[in-house]
């Protein structure tokens, strides 16, 4: 069985760091993995080198690497979708503006998931604000069970622990 894994924002630092973990068997054990790398047109050129690196590493689980700018191609029958790509918060940008920009992105991602992904797809949203982006995507993908969507908010959790620890004058490990 080949696990079809789509990764948006694959050319970014987080996506690049995840690829060897996905291809090596670290995440999915000895199962074969097909990677579908989704990027915006301006960044797709750098993925050609990334694909060569992945293939040169001869990861035992990696069967194929597909590069695309089309979410319908990336998500087609995907078993796992990791949504790393999103609008980053820019200097002076209000949170409301960030949410508006990402709502458009994650609405389109959700529609594409609804249209072509496996009915049992697991979706992990990493791009911040992850909880809001996850809600937007799952709202658009109503045929996918909501339990199959997850927002990666661990960084927010850790930041909160750090702030509480600082206020209390204790180590973050004691929180």
């Amino acid at each position: 069985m080949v696990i079809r894994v789509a990764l948006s924002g694959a050319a970014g630092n987080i996506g690049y760091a995840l690829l060897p973990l996905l291809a090596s068997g670290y995440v999915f054990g000895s199962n074969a993995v097909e990677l579908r790398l989704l990027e915006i047109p301006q960044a797709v050129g750098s993925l050609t080198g990334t694909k060569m690196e992945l293939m040169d590493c001869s990861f035992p689980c990696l069967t194929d690497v597909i590069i695309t700018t089309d979410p319908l191609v990336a998500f087609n029958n995907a078993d796992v979708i990791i949504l790393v790509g999103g609008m980053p918060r820019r200097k002076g940008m209000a949170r409301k503006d960030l949410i508006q920009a990402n709502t458009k992105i994650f609405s389109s991602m959700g529609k594409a998931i609804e249209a072509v992904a496996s009915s049992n797809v697991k979706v992990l949203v990493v791009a911040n604000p992850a909880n809001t982006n996850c809600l937007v995507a799952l709202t658009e993908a109503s045929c996918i069970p909501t339990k199959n969507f997850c927002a990666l908010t661990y960084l927010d959790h850790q930041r909160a622990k750090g702030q509480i620890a600082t206020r209390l004058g204790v180590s973050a490990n004691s929180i």
Side-chain angles (χ1 to χ4, degrees), residues 60-131:
C61 299
L62 186 60
T63 61
D64 197 9
V65 179
I66 298 165
I67 298 171
T68 185
T69 59
D70 185 350
L72 294 174
V73 171
F75 300 164
N76 188 37
N77 290 315
D79 301 298
V80 175
I81 299 172
I82 305 170
L83 299 175
V84 175
M87 169 72 74
R89 192 169 187 177
R90 295 194 164 82
K91 186 174 181 171
M93 182 184 241
R95 188 166 175 82
K96 159 182 91 103
D97 298 328
L98 176 68
I99 290 172
Q100 284 179 333
N102 276 313
T103 295
K104 291 177 188 168
I105 294 168
F106 285 87
S107 176
S108 68
M109 295 294 112
K111 288 175 183 173
I113 291 167
E114 171 87 3
V116 299
S118 160
S119 61
N120 197 34
V121 67
K122 305 299 188 273
V123 181
L124 174 63
V125 179
V126 178
N128 279 317
N131 52 352

Side-chain angles (χ1 to χ4, degrees), residues 3-110:
I3 300 174
R4 295 170 299 267
V5 181
L7 177 67
S8 76
N13 290 336
I14 296 170
Y16 185 78
L18 289 173
L19 290 171
L21 299 172
L22 296 169
S24 68
Y26 184 82
V27 176
F28 299 108
S30 61
N31 293 300
V33 174
E34 176 185 276
L35 292 175
R36 286 114 176 256
L37 311 182
L38 177 63
E39 248 322 335
I40 58 174
Q42 305 89 292
V44 82
S46 68
L47 287 179
T48 304
T50 301
K51 178 179 179 176
M52 275 196 308
E53 288 176 16
L54 288 165
M55 300 312 283
D56 287 348
C57 287
S58 298
F59 289 112
C61 299
L62 186 60
T63 61
D64 197 9
V65 179
I66 298 165
I67 298 171
T68 185
T69 59
D70 185 350
L72 294 174
V73 171
F75 300 164
N76 188 37
N77 290 315
D79 301 298
V80 175
I81 299 172
I82 305 170
L83 299 175
V84 175
M87 169 72 74
R89 192 169 187 177
R90 295 194 164 82
K91 186 174 181 171
M93 182 184 241
R95 188 166 175 82
K96 159 182 91 103
D97 298 328
L98 176 68
I99 290 172
Q100 284 179 333
N102 276 313
T103 295
K104 291 177 188 168
I105 294 168
F106 285 87
S107 176
S108 68
M109 295 294 112

